Every structure is written in C-alpha cells, then in structure tokens.
C-alpha cells in the first residue's frame, strides 16, 4: 500500500492542464502516493446541481490530503441558466467549492508564499519574499449573508445598532447584508500559525494587516488577538498596518515585509497583490491547511479561454506541490522541487507565454523534471 493517498481534483478549465504538469513532476519525484481522482467542477454543477458532490467529500475523508487545480464560478443568474433543465428553478445555489472545502474540513490557514525567483523577468523588484497567512474559514466569506433582508434580522440589528437608523426606510428587497464574523479562537489560531512560521523560518516581523480604526469590532478583535499571541514570541516584532495603506506600502517597499497575517477577504485581496509583485498568479500557490488535513492549489482560477491549450504557467501548481511535500514532511523532495523550479526560471530557456516565451505547460514541467536528481 502506498504511504499517502492523495485526492486528485483537477476541476475544470486550466486546472486540468496544470494538474497534468503536476503529475509529470510528482511521478519523477517518486512520491510514494496513490492518486485518487475526485469529481469537482463546473460540469458537476451543470449536470448534478452540485460542483462538490458528496462522493468527493467521502474520498477526501479517506485521503491524507488533496491536490486541486481550478474551478469555474459564475454569477447567480448565469449559474442558474447553465444548470440542466431538470434542475432549474429548484432553488439550487452555487457556492464556491473551494470555499466550501476550506470550511467543511476546517482548513483555517491559507498559506500563500510569494517569493521572487531570481531571473524571473516578471518580478516587480528583486528579493521580494512575502508570506501571506489568510484566515480561511470565517470573516466575510463565512457565508452568513442575507438578500432580501429578513424582518427578524433587521429588527435584531435595529435593536442593537443605532447605525441601522439610516436604512429604516429601505425595503427588505432593496438591502443586502454580508456579515464579517471573526471569533477569538479563529483569530488566535491563524495569528499563532503566522508567528510560528516567522519563528521557524527566521522572519523578524509579523505584520497584522487589518482595519481596526473603522472595523472596530472585528478588526479590534484581530488586533487584540495579535498582541496577545505576539507576546508569546518575544523575538518577533508585531507590526500593525491598515489594509489600504499596506497595499500602498507593498508597492513602495515590498522588501521590507515578510510574514503578513489577516482575515479572509483582506487576505484574498492582499495575496493577489503579493502574487503580482513576484510575477502574477502563474507564480502563486496556496496551502489550505487544518490541524489534520490540507488541500493544496494554485491561487489562479480556471481561465476558461485557455482551457485545454496547455498554455498557462504551471509554476503556481508546482509550487503548490512543493507546499504539499513540505506538509507531508517530504523535505528532501520539496527542496529538490524548489531547486529545480528555481533553476528553470533562472536559465530562462523554457518559458510560458506570461513570461514572454512560447513553451507549453507540459514543456515547462518537463524542464523541471530534467533538473530533478
Ligand atoms: C482564492 C480565490 C477564491 C477565494 C475564489 C475562487 C472563491 O480567489 O483562492 O483566492 O476567493 O478565496
Ligand atoms: Mg483570490
């Protein structure tokens, strides 16, 4: 029996292309793993009304971890139109499968390293080494949303918040509410992970990126949790910045920052900016990590217009494999993979279109394989 059982979830669009690249590289690394295909993606929404079928959850429950490619999501009305006619008008609602996976398996850490590889023509500046810790299960993406706004919810809000007075005359159909839920336990565990990472990999600071001057309740709770946890790590300085200013500072002085920690939506935004500083989404990987299970993915989407063309850059996907190898404790393989990626980028002979070349996804993967021992 193989040592690891890995759920193999290409999803759709270019998810399939980059997962093929991952396979070539993992095979060469001779990872002692069984790869178990699991259905996920837009076609399962259209055919079954669920892009994340129950059988996929069962497969994941039997696996060591999962590897995920990408998935298409569309706005509500388009999603409804593309449903199989038998499934239309049944009140089925499309919710992002990756967000559901994060919540279902309590994968509370979204680890997003963004490092400038030497020789990458797309680097905004050299020597950038950012690591975003994005809280992955709560905040604005917790799924507690209302539209139209039910009367009971409005009454409760009006009773407890004077700020609701301004919306008194707006009808329930004309008002939508998305809540930003932060729990102390949720804040503490993501912040602790960020500090532990800074300690383990020698980063001198952890930057809490929030907005407590305006979002007093939720931002304030994040800040107090950060100060509390920070006091357990006396060698690491806690910096506190606001999300808006942080975007500006990152463009100005990206090399000054290292580990950053933030809530779910701010982390979504911050990590795209961080990705762009080191070459864009083709270079950005994510680990969705809980206490006992994890799913690794490239941060990019399914880019339907490139689907099946084997055109997109597989580096993000291969970096996701590297994060998976780290998490599995396969350090030698993780290091070999990163070294091979670095060498291919530095040489610059094989490049996908985003890097100004015309090599395919699989040629890039093959170049990486050629650099593996
Ligand atoms: C990401 C993506 C997802 C998110 C989408 C696809 C739901 O943007 O992983 O950053 O918002 O988390
Ligand atoms: Mg995102």
């Amino acid at each position: 029996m193989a040592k690891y059982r890995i759920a193999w979830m290409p999803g759709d669009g270019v998810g399939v292309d980059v997962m093929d690249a991952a396979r070539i590289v993992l095979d060469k690394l001779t990872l002692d793993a069984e790869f178990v295909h699991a259905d996920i993606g837009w076609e399962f929404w259209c055919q079954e009304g669920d892009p994340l079928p129950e059988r996929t959850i069962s497969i994941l429950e039997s696996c060591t971890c999962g590897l995920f490619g990408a998935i298409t999501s569309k706005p509500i009305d388009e999603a409804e139109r593309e449903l199989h006619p038998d499934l239309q008008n049944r009140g089925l609602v499309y919710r992002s499968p990756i967000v559901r996976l994060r919540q279902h398996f309590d994968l509370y850490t979204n680890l997003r390293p963004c490092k400038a590889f030497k020789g990458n023509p797309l680097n905004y500046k050299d020597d950038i080494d950012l690591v975003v810790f994005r809280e992955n299960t709560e905040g604005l993406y917790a799924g507690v949303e209302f539209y139209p706004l039910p009367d009971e919810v409005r009454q409760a809000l009006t009773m407890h918040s004077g700020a609701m007075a301004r919306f008194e005359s707006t009808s329930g159909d004309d008002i939508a509410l998305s809540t930003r839920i932060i729990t102390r336990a949720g804040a503490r565990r993501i912040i602790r992970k960020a500090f532990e990472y800074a300690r383990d990999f020698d980063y001198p600071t952890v930057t809490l990126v929030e907005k407590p001057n305006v979002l007093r309740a939720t931002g304030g709770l994040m800040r107090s949790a950060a100060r509390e946890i920070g006091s357990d790590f006396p060698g690491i300085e806690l910096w506190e910045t606001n999300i808006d200013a942080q975007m500006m500072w990152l463009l100005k002085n990206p090399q000054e920052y290292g580990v950053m920690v933030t809530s779910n939506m701010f982390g979504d935004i911050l990590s795209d900016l961080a990705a762009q500083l080191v070459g864009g989404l083709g270079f950005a990987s994510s680990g969705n990590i809980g206490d006992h299970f994890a799913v690794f993915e490239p941060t990019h989407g399914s880019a339907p217009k490139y689907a099946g063309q084997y055109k997109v850059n597989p580096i993000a996907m291969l970096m996701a494999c590297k994060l998976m190898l780290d998490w599995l404790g396969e350090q030698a393989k993780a290091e070999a993979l990163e070294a091979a990626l670095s060498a291919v980028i530095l040489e610059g002979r094989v490049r996908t279109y985003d890097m100004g070349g015309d090599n395919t996804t699989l040629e890039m993967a093959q170049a990486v394989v050629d650099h593996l021992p």
Side-chain angles (χ1 to χ4, degrees), residues 12-299:
D12 57 54
V14 300
V16 177
D17 308 27
V18 294
M19 287 285 275
D20 282 352
R23 192 51 176 273
I24 295 174
V25 170
L26 291 173
D27 283 349
K28 170 71 183 186
L29 283 165
T30 61
L31 184 68
D32 185 8
E34 178 194 355
F35 298 104
V36 189
H37 181 92
D39 292 339
I40 189 167
W42 191 249
E43 64 178 289
F44 303 101
W45 162 255
C46 299
Q47 288 159 18
E48 303 175 21
D50 191 352
L52 176 60
E54 211 36 55
R55 60 184 177 280
T56 293
I57 302 280
S58 307
I59 291 176
L60 284 162
E61 278 163 356
S62 74
C63 285
T64 324
C65 64
L67 207 53
F68 170 71
I71 220 170
T72 303
S73 17
K74 299 185 185 178
I76 294 185
D77 30 343
E78 237 173 288
E80 178 71 23
R81 271 202 306 276
E82 292 191 28
L83 264 180
H84 188 281
D86 295 350
L87 295 171
Q88 287 183 12
N89 306 313
R90 292 225 213 143
L92 294 170
V93 180
Y94 183 89
R95 275 196 68 211
S96 161
I98 186 68
V99 173
R100 280 166 60 196
L101 278 184
R102 292 165 181 165
Q103 289 171 0
H104 181 89
F105 289 97
D106 200 22
L107 309 176
Y108 59 91
T109 298
N110 194 327
L111 167 64
R112 302 192 147 173
C114 293
K115 189 153 108 185
F117 282 101
K118 286 209 166 28
N120 181 358
L122 301 175
N123 286 342
Y124 175 68
K125 288 185 180 167
D126 291 332
D127 303 318
I128 295 174
D129 179 10
L130 301 168
V131 187
V132 177
F133 278 78
R134 163 185 179 190
E135 201 293 323
N136 219 16
T137 55
E138 1 183 277
L140 261 168
Y141 297 0
V144 184
E145 300 196 280
F146 305 93
Y147 180 72
L149 185 64
D151 284 341
E152 303 81 351
V153 177
R154 178 200 290 267
Q155 277 154 19
L157 292 172
T158 306
M159 200 178 338
H160 294 283
S161 171
M164 280 298 287
R166 285 196 300 122
F167 308 108
E168 211 173 1
S169 60
T170 312
S171 85
D173 288 334
D174 290 330
I175 186 166
L177 174 68
S178 301
T179 64
R180 185 182 200 251
I181 296 179
I182 305 277
T183 64
R184 185 180 300 280
R188 287 177 62 97
R189 62 186 183 171
I190 185 68
I191 292 165
R192 183 167 290 284
K193 289 290 169 195
F195 271 97
E196 286 172 356
Y197 188 96
R199 177 195 62 202
D200 295 347
F201 297 100
D202 288 329
Y203 289 85
T205 60
V206 167
T207 306
L208 174 74
V209 186
E210 274 297 323
K211 187 81 187 181
N213 54 341
V214 177
L215 299 172
R216 293 180 180 278
T218 47
L221 186 52
M222 285 292 280
R223 185 174 60 179
S224 78
R227 291 181 181 178
E228 237 169 78
I229 302 289
S231 66
D232 293 344
F233 296 83
I236 301 165
E237 212 175 312
L238 171 65
W239 289 356
E240 294 173 12
T241 64
N242 287 333
I243 177 72
D244 50 347
Q246 186 63 21
M247 305 299 270
M248 191 181 73
W249 291 122
L250 277 177
L251 283 179
K252 193 158 185 248
N253 304 318
Q255 297 107 329
E256 281 187 14
Y257 297 91
V259 175
M260 296 179 283
V261 60
T262 185
S263 49
N264 207 338
M265 188 187 72
F266 289 168
D268 191 16
I269 297 169
L270 183 66
S271 58
D272 271 17
L273 178 74
Q276 189 56 41
L277 296 176
V278 299
L281 288 174
F283 292 82
S285 55
S286 302
N288 301 280
I289 304 173
D291 286 331
H292 308 288
F293 190 68
V295 173
F296 299 88
E297 50 157 341
T299 304

Side-chain angles (χ1 to χ4, degrees), residues 239-372:
W239 289 356
E240 294 173 12
T241 64
N242 287 333
I243 177 72
D244 50 347
Q246 186 63 21
M247 305 299 270
M248 191 181 73
W249 291 122
L250 277 177
L251 283 179
K252 193 158 185 248
N253 304 318
Q255 297 107 329
E256 281 187 14
Y257 297 91
V259 175
M260 296 179 283
V261 60
T262 185
S263 49
N264 207 338
M265 188 187 72
F266 289 168
D268 191 16
I269 297 169
L270 183 66
S271 58
D272 271 17
L273 178 74
Q276 189 56 41
L277 296 176
V278 299
L281 288 174
F283 292 82
S285 55
S286 302
N288 301 280
I289 304 173
D291 286 331
H292 308 288
F293 190 68
V295 173
F296 299 88
E297 50 157 341
T299 304
H300 61 67
S302 65
K305 69 175 179 187
Y306 293 133
Q309 294 182 29
Y310 291 89
K311 202 176 148 114
V312 298
N313 193 338
I315 289 176
M317 182 78 235
L318 299 179
M319 280 298 289
C321 294
K322 189 259 172 195
L323 292 178
M324 177 180 80
L325 293 167
D326 280 335
W327 184 80
L328 290 171
E330 295 283 351
Q331 251 58 58
K333 293 188 195 311
E335 278 163 30
L337 175 51
E338 186 164 5
L341 282 169
S342 306
V344 170
I345 296 167
L346 185 62
E347 273 176 19
R349 278 191 298 115
V350 182
R351 284 179 171 172
T352 39
Y353 82 95
D354 55 321
M355 299 176 77
D358 55 12
N359 290 103
T360 66
T361 308
L362 300 184
E363 283 165 354
M364 192 86 166
Q366 189 55 46
V368 173
V369 162
D370 293 342
H371 281 83
L372 285 170

